[in-house]
Amino acid sequence: MNDKFMLIQVFVVLFLCINLLLITTFFTKEVFYTTMRYVLFAVTLMSDCLLLFLTNILLLLTYYRYTIQMWLCLIMYIISSLYMFVTPVTLTAMTLERYVAICLPLRHAELCSPRSTLHGILIIHSLSSLPCIVFLSIFFASASYGSDTQGRTCSVEIFIIHRWQGHLRSAINQFYFLIMCITIVFSYVKIMRVAKAASGEDKKSTWRGLRTVGLHALQLLLCLIQLWCPFIESAVLQINLMLFIKVRYFNYITFILAPRCLSPLIYGLRDEMFFQALKKLPLCGLRKKH
């Protein structure tokens, strides 16, 4: 696993550097942090950075078989579990913002104001925290006294005492999967109808918005499949441990790392205003100086 382990470290460092560069760009112009779609984009970048950092720490602890106390593992699990959901829920909110902008343009300024954006971020984090709250409430009701001081290798499996807890966790994930898929499909169909009816410049702008929603759908699909990963991994674990390790490695690369590299593509490079601001950063302006 040495080569695969090092490959993950390279990917994580690369994605963190790109995301931090984009976050820096976000704070260079007032229009970015007063416009809902850019604020939500920044939320996904920060969520991705935190999730990549924490999951990589957990990977390092597992790889070197380093044990930590349960209370510290619990804190890391809460944060990683929260931000595992924040990105797909935020992507769903970004899709709804595009739906409002294209299908309800007269209400866009009202529904996507800075105040509404703040409320939206609070709602996103509230919805994202519910699965973790339910899961941990059941764990604390089932765990024995003093288990929080025990030293263990930190992974989500240590919080699953009974098999039905794993089934409940998978059921909650699948419920979120269903709701977000319905939202994406509804928005895409509505925007497609407007795109077909539009003409001239409106048609060009609408189709651009449709492509953006399509990329969101692809990114969201990868993020949502990760919600199925615990269900698949728990089934594989009953069959073979080495197969479980390989499946978990594949899931981590495909459904955690890969979706995080699509955010820079969707808004970092495709969005003209953001791309122009990105080029003005000192790092990207070296070429012009020479």
Side-chain angles (χ1 to χ4, degrees):
M1 295 293 289
N2 286 336
D3 294 339
K4 295 178 180 179
F5 179 77
M6 292 307 300
L7 181 63
I8 288 178
Q9 300 311 303
V10 171
F11 277 137
V12 168
V13 171
L14 178 63
F15 294 156
L16 283 175
C17 289
I18 293 173
N19 285 358
L20 289 173
L21 179 64
L22 294 174
I23 291 171
T24 303
T25 305
F26 169 77
F27 288 104
T28 58
K29 282 191 174 184
E30 184 180 355
V31 66
F32 293 147
Y33 46 87
T34 56
T35 305
M36 175 177 272
R37 70 175 184 270
Y38 292 117
V39 173
L40 293 179
F41 172 53
V43 169
T44 63
L45 290 176
M46 294 176 186
S47 169
D48 290 347
C49 284
L50 189 55
L51 181 64
L52 287 174
F53 178 76
L54 275 177
T55 53
N56 196 53
I57 292 294
L58 291 172
L59 178 65
L60 289 169
L61 292 175
T62 304
Y63 184 79
Y64 291 107
R65 296 183 177 88
Y66 189 81
T67 60
I68 60 175
Q69 289 192 335
M70 281 282 287
W71 65 267
L72 181 57
C73 180
L74 183 63
I75 293 173
M76 296 177 72
Y77 169 74
I78 290 171
I79 298 173
S80 60
S81 177
L82 170 63
Y83 286 96
M84 185 75 78
F85 278 92
V86 163
T87 293
V89 174
T90 305
L91 288 171
T92 306
M94 293 171 77
T95 301
L96 288 174
E97 187 275 335
R98 288 293 83 198
Y99 162 74
V100 173
I102 294 170
C103 300
L104 304 170
L106 297 179
R107 299 199 61 193
H108 184 261
E110 174 192 350
L111 295 176
C112 301
S113 63
R115 184 181 179 87
S116 299
T117 302
L118 178 60
H119 291 162
I121 292 172
L122 293 175
I123 292 171
I124 286 168
H125 282 77
S126 298
L127 290 174
S128 301
S129 65
L130 286 177
C132 183
I133 291 172
V134 172
F135 185 70
L136 288 179
S137 298
I138 295 171
F139 167 72
F140 283 122
S142 306
S144 60
Y145 178 77
S147 61
D148 58 334
T149 60
Q150 296 175 1
R152 302 282 296 275
T153 300
C154 190
S155 69
V156 67
E157 282 75 27
I158 66 175
F159 299 108
I160 301 176
I161 300 173
H162 306 290
R163 183 176 293 183
W164 63 266
Q165 290 174 292
H167 295 328
L168 177 63
R169 178 169 174 253
S170 298
I172 293 172
N173 289 350
Q174 290 166 35
F175 174 74
Y176 272 68
F177 179 94
L178 179 64
I179 296 299
M180 287 187 274
C181 279
I182 291 172
T183 304
I184 287 288
V185 171
F186 169 79
S187 301
Y188 193 85
V189 169
K190 289 289 186 180
I191 292 173
M192 183 173 284
R193 288 180 180 175
V194 173
K196 288 182 177 179
S199 60
E201 289 297 321
D202 288 340
K203 192 177 187 69
K204 185 178 179 181
S205 175
T206 304
W207 278 107
R208 191 185 302 118
L210 190 63
R211 285 194 296 271
T212 300
V213 172
L215 285 171
H216 280 324
L218 173 61
Q219 186 181 12
L220 188 59
L221 178 63
L222 292 174
C223 288
L224 290 177
I225 291 175
Q226 83 184 21
L227 301 182
W228 284 75
C229 290
F231 178 75
I232 297 169
E233 289 169 5
S234 62
V236 172
L237 183 59
Q238 305 299 319
I239 302 171
N240 185 278
L241 179 61
M242 288 307 299
L243 180 61
F244 166 77
I245 292 172
K246 291 177 181 178
V247 168
R248 174 162 281 191
Y249 173 82
F250 174 80
N251 289 342
Y252 185 75
I253 291 286
T254 309
F255 304 122
I256 294 182
L257 290 185
R260 270 74 196 173
C261 73
L262 288 177
S263 290
L265 172 66
I266 295 174
Y267 273 112
L269 300 178
R270 291 185 68 254
D271 188 273
E272 186 176 346
M273 185 184 298
F274 201 90
F275 184 65
Q276 292 300 322
L278 182 63
K279 289 198 298 184
K280 290 180 181 179
L281 283 179
L283 184 62
C284 300
L286 291 176
R287 186 177 174 182
K288 286 186 176 181
K289 292 178 182 179
H290 290 302

